[in-house]
Amino acid sequence: MEVYDLVIIGAGPAGMTAGVFAIRKGLKTVIVSEDIGGQVNWTNDIENYMGFGEIDGQSLVRKFEEQVKEHRVMVKLTAVRSLKKEGELFFIRTESEETITGKTAIICSGKRPKTLNVPGEEEFRNKGVSYCSTCDGPLFRGVPVAVVGGGNSAVKSALDLAHYASEIHLFSLLSNLTADAILVERLQREGKIKTYLGHTVVEIKGGQAVEKVTVERVDTKERFEVPVQGVFVEIGLIPNTDFVDDTVERNELQEIMVDCLCRTNIPGLFAAGDVSSVPEKQIIIAAGEGAKAAIQAWEYLLKRSDASAQ
């Protein structure tokens, strides 16, 4: 049975960075992932990743991937079905019916946004439909946009977009905003933002890009259209932890709980990037946490080796 020093689940910024750092530490490493890049692939222009004045998401992913290949990190492109620890080893079962065994593991599986599941959403993804105002907000300078949601992420996005967009239409399904009171107060003071309570977006329309949204009032079912050039869907993110069993501690958002060293409650199991409880979901933070997790996996193996030698 082939046993890796480290198995990394996920090939986004956290997973690929972890792979490079692990190889540099001399660890026999494999990355297992359904795809390369994760959420970064959905981002148009990135202006806040150090070393690049401006770069689109897919180009940044290619840069990461090139470095992974240069360091000869093994990558297996397949979804992970389950992760279990038995004794001192981790067993990762994949969709391709392979079992990968490791002495340590890092979960870097990221998150996926909740979608509206309305006509036009998939068609206009990256053509006006976005799931990250921090990433894409500057692309909508001087034009009207819509934000869908009523919680903290939606209100924060609306406030963030007020720096760029000409006007913001915030649509909340509920009859009240569920965001923190201080955020709601700021929202109400911002003249660019118009709030529609008890309304939902039922269709996104356009030609080459988004041009308008069809909105339905929840109580009367009355429909009307609002011209916008961007739609920011902010109804929450779902951590990709379906393959993780209940022995791994998670918070109320189902993010994997980690300490400042990326350690979970399971010895030898680490987590990094958006899937973890570390705040501020940004590419640069995910990459840094991936590097940290790989170093900590190396430290864990080093200490275990020293202990067994005594």
Side-chain angles (χ1 to χ4, degrees), residues 113-292:
K114 293 180 181 177
T115 59
L116 294 172
N117 292 320
V118 300
E121 181 178 16
E122 186 63 32
E123 177 186 351
F124 293 109
R125 181 175 289 187
N126 286 337
K127 298 177 183 177
V129 173
S130 174
Y131 301 87
C132 178
S133 63
T134 303
C135 310
D136 296 334
L139 302 176
F140 295 88
R141 294 181 189 274
V143 300
V145 300
V147 176
V148 185
N152 281 342
S153 60
V155 173
K156 284 180 179 178
S157 290
L159 291 169
D160 185 32
L161 288 164
H163 295 293
Y164 312 107
S166 59
E167 57 188 60
I168 300 99
H169 301 271
L170 176 67
F171 301 103
S172 173
L173 181 65
L174 302 178
S175 57
N176 63 292
L177 297 174
T178 58
D180 295 341
I182 190 169
L183 292 174
V184 174
E185 288 173 13
R186 290 176 185 168
L187 185 81
Q188 292 168 343
R189 292 197 300 266
E190 177 52 64
K192 284 186 177 182
I193 302 173
K194 183 177 181 181
T195 303
Y196 302 75
L197 298 177
H199 289 75
T200 183
V201 171
V202 294
E203 187 172 359
I204 301 168
K205 298 179 178 179
Q208 296 298 313
V210 170
E211 294 175 0
K212 55 190 172 182
V213 291
T214 302
V215 181
E216 182 177 276
R217 185 168 169 172
V218 174
D219 53 359
T220 65
K221 305 303 179 184
E222 173 192 359
R223 292 191 175 189
F224 57 94
E225 292 183 340
V226 178
V228 295
Q229 292 184 32
V231 180
F232 289 83
V233 181
E234 294 286 357
I235 55 177
L237 293 168
I238 306 169
N240 295 315
T241 55
D242 299 343
F243 59 89
V244 181
D245 65 31
D246 292 337
T247 60
V248 180
E249 186 180 353
R250 278 165 273 194
N251 62 16
E252 68 280 0
L253 300 175
Q254 292 305 300
E255 298 167 336
I256 295 174
M257 294 291 293
V258 294
D259 63 12
C260 64
L261 298 179
C262 300
R263 297 178 298 194
T264 70
N265 63 308
I266 307 295
L269 179 64
F270 305 84
D274 286 10
V275 75
S276 79
S277 56
V278 171
E280 306 307 331
K281 311 305 183 184
Q282 297 290 309
I283 298 169
I284 197 164
I285 293 173
E289 291 293 305
K292 189 200 300 183

